[in-house]
Amino acid sequence: MKKYEQFSACLRRILEEEGISASEVSRLVGFRSRNSIFRILSDQTSIRVQEEFYDALKEHIGSGWPQRHWLELEEALEISRMGVVDYQDRKAFRELVLSGARKCCGISLNLPQPESGYTTKEIRPLIRHAAASGRLEITICGCLNVSLCTLLAEELAAAGREGRVSVRHFVNMADDVAVQNVIAIQPLLYYSWYDALLVEPGVCPEEMSAIYQSNMMIMMHTAENGEKHVRNLLMHNQHTLYLAESRPCDGEDKTVRLLNFYGRYLPKLKNNFPVSMSVGDYVSYTSQLRQMEKDKEIFSIKPDISIYYIHPDVLRSSALDGFRQSGFLDPADMPCFVQQFYDVHLNRYNNIMNKRKVTNVVFSFDAMKNFVLTGKQTNHFFAMRPYTLAERMAIIKHLRDQTVNNPYFSIRFLKKGNPLPSMEIALYEGVGVMFTKVDTTYNLSGDHAEALVTHKGFARKFREFYMQELLPKYATTYQETIAAFDELARIATEEG
């Protein structure tokens, strides 16, 4: 596990590695008294003094030290400024939002051998084989590892769509780990077969709280002939699981029964949106989103434009053409349902543009450029045709005008060099943080996937990250944003 150091501890270590005494450093940076450097080394100065010392030290030594020393000292300054927990939370958000697709490590499985200890294999084939037939029920305590969660999401998705998989995950939500743990399980959050329960301080007996953090995964497989088999796996570190037990089972596993007994009292981490195929349920779904957005502050990051930023008069032609071509609506039902969709979207649009609560959104310029060129959003509703050039130009002009004239509506773009967001994330004041997969088509019976995390501490930390780091450090200024809109309009004009 990475060791996070305060500035004083980091500086002491580096001076020792470089063989430089505190007195030498004091003379180098021009301190009149050696006490000044000793106060810095003993963490008895303000962060401002530490920053000034860092600047002076780098000016005098510069390339005489490896670049890694300066990066370590910069990180240590940030840790001293924010505290370890807040720094880890910010770092986790930064990696989630700004690092593109996250790299995942392989997970090894150590299998016991009767006389020779353990043999090591990859765990993926075991998960794949267990999910191939029959029913698989997984109970997880801890194991808050993004690589493991990504592997489970990849291997269980197909069986989950067939209703043959359920995963119950007990997630520690103490203040010092809540943000990092939610981000770790993010690959699984979207799925209706994944049930995350919050283990918060004081909610269950102390002994059970410790068990819920035990880094254990229990897999109960029921074959098609009804035979049951249970495997108990323990996570040794971020890359290794041990198969502690593998045996036939007559009924419910006793350990799972104990976990579920107290689990009845634990709140759920997320709200799932309904899986649906009927047109009427799409109206209900959009109505639910309307209620969630109503008169709320919104802080979001997404590749490109959301449908509720577009007036339904612009949407109407795209929807009508698409509904006819895709067979989404029966011709006889078209007038009724189109009017219902129109009314809901008009309500959503008016709320976004007219509410006296701020809406902040950060787009990717490259994704918006692709929208201008193709007429398709990254998350384009499957039953709508691409927008025409005239529609695209009207949309871009409207967004620019709102950004200029509406004090409660603000669009920014990610600065160049930042990757396309790997998901949409939106905080709705007092409601929660919505995660939506990129490249979804909003086919609720197919590939659409989103989840609403309702934990208040997580929402608060995301808002702090958004306002204090994302906007000032990684987003365009107002002037740069207007220039970007003008560039998009030029591209659209040239396309025409």
Side-chain angles (χ1 to χ4, degrees), residues 355-369:
K355 63 184 170 71
R356 299 296 180 179
K357 295 283 187 74
V358 296
T359 294
N360 285 287
V361 59
V362 176
F363 290 146
S364 161
F365 181 83
D366 289 340
M368 283 294 289
K369 178 180 177 182

Side-chain angles (χ1 to χ4, degrees), residues 424-441:
E424 293 186 6
I425 309 177
L427 165 63
Y428 300 92
E429 172 196 11
V431 178
V433 179
M434 175 93 90
F435 289 87
T436 305
K437 273 191 172 182
V438 167
D439 294 326
T440 184
T441 64

Side-chain angles (χ1 to χ4, degrees), residues 27-47:
R27 287 193 300 271
L28 187 64
V29 299
F31 282 163
R32 295 179 180 178
S33 169
R34 290 192 308 165
N35 288 337
S36 297
I37 186 64
F38 288 119
R39 291 182 68 235
I40 291 174
L41 290 171
S42 58
D43 200 22
Q44 296 178 11
T45 59
S46 67
I47 187 65

Side-chain angles (χ1 to χ4, degrees), residues 45-291:
T45 59
S46 67
I47 187 65
R48 182 183 61 80
V49 170
Q50 292 175 356
E51 290 171 340
E52 291 174 351
F53 171 77
Y54 168 81
D55 291 338
L57 187 66
K58 190 170 185 180
E59 180 181 347
H60 284 86
I61 296 179
S63 60
W65 278 2
Q67 180 64 15
R68 64 180 174 85
H69 284 345
W70 303 116
L71 294 175
E72 289 167 349
L73 286 169
E74 288 173 9
E75 180 184 57
L77 273 175
E78 194 73 7
I79 291 170
S80 295
R81 186 182 299 112
M82 300 177 62
V84 174
V85 172
D86 284 346
Y87 175 80
Q88 290 176 301
D89 290 347
R90 287 284 180 90
K91 185 170 183 274
F93 276 127
R94 193 183 309 123
E95 291 174 351
L96 177 70
V97 172
L98 299 168
S99 299
R102 289 185 287 177
K103 295 180 180 179
C104 298
C105 302
I107 303 293
S108 298
L109 177 65
N110 285 355
L111 303 168
Q113 301 296 311
E115 299 178 356
S116 58
Y118 285 88
T119 183
T120 301
K121 297 183 177 180
E122 286 292 311
I123 194 173
R124 187 180 292 271
L126 173 65
I127 303 294
R128 182 174 297 171
H129 178 75
S133 63
R135 176 165 181 78
L136 182 61
E137 299 168 72
I138 299 179
T139 303
I140 307 175
C141 296
C143 300
L144 295 155
N145 176 299
V146 66
S147 294
L148 177 62
C149 292
T150 300
L151 185 153
L152 292 174
E154 292 171 351
E155 295 299 333
L156 301 180
R161 286 193 294 270
E162 297 171 3
R164 297 188 294 102
V165 166
S166 65
V167 177
R168 170 162 283 193
H169 200 165
F170 296 95
V171 179
N172 181 14
M173 293 298 284
D175 288 344
D176 59 338
V177 295
V179 168
Q180 299 155 64
N181 288 349
V182 170
I183 290 175
I185 64 175
Q186 183 269 330
L188 287 165
L189 275 177
Y190 307 105
Y191 298 105
S192 60
W193 44 263
Y194 176 75
D195 185 25
L197 300 179
L198 306 184
V199 183
E200 297 178 299
V203 175
C204 61
E206 186 176 336
E207 298 83 356
M208 282 305 303
S209 181
I211 291 172
Y212 286 136
Q213 299 174 46
S214 60
N215 287 329
M216 169 177 58
M217 184 165 73
I218 301 172
M219 297 171 52
M220 172 74 76
H221 181 257
T222 303
E224 294 178 351
N225 63 5
E227 293 181 356
K228 296 178 181 289
H229 195 93
V230 66
R231 293 181 177 89
N232 194 330
L233 300 98
L234 304 176
M235 178 159 267
H236 168 62
N237 56 40
Q238 293 294 297
H239 311 293
T240 309
L241 286 163
Y242 284 92
L243 181 61
E245 182 182 40
S246 178
R247 59 179 173 81
C249 182
D250 294 333
E252 184 182 20
D253 181 78
K254 293 180 180 179
T255 303
V256 172
R257 185 188 309 157
L258 174 67
L259 296 172
N260 288 338
F261 178 81
Y262 286 99
R264 296 177 298 170
Y265 307 104
L266 301 179
K268 292 182 179 295
L269 174 66
K270 62 172 183 141
N271 287 341
N272 285 317
F273 290 87
V275 176
S276 168
M277 295 182 68
S278 73
V279 175
D281 284 334
Y282 275 94
V283 176
S284 298
Y285 166 73
T286 52
S287 297
Q288 185 178 354
L289 296 178
R290 178 191 62 188
Q291 285 300 119

Side-chain angles (χ1 to χ4, degrees), residues 332-344:
D333 296 331
M334 188 84 73
C336 174
F337 278 116
V338 166
Q339 188 61 49
Q340 290 184 49
F341 280 121
Y342 184 97
D343 292 342
V344 171

Side-chain angles (χ1 to χ4, degrees), residues 1-45:
M1 180 178 292
K2 178 178 172 59
K3 181 180 180 181
Y4 291 95
E5 297 175 305
Q6 301 281 339
F7 182 77
S8 57
C10 183
L11 179 61
R12 287 197 306 270
R13 175 177 58 78
I14 290 174
L15 293 181
E16 184 176 338
E17 289 180 13
E18 292 296 324
I20 300 177
S21 69
S23 298
E24 289 178 84
V25 171
S26 182
R27 287 193 300 271
L28 187 64
V29 299
F31 282 163
R32 295 179 180 178
S33 169
R34 290 192 308 165
N35 288 337
S36 297
I37 186 64
F38 288 119
R39 291 182 68 235
I40 291 174
L41 290 171
S42 58
D43 200 22
Q44 296 178 11
T45 59

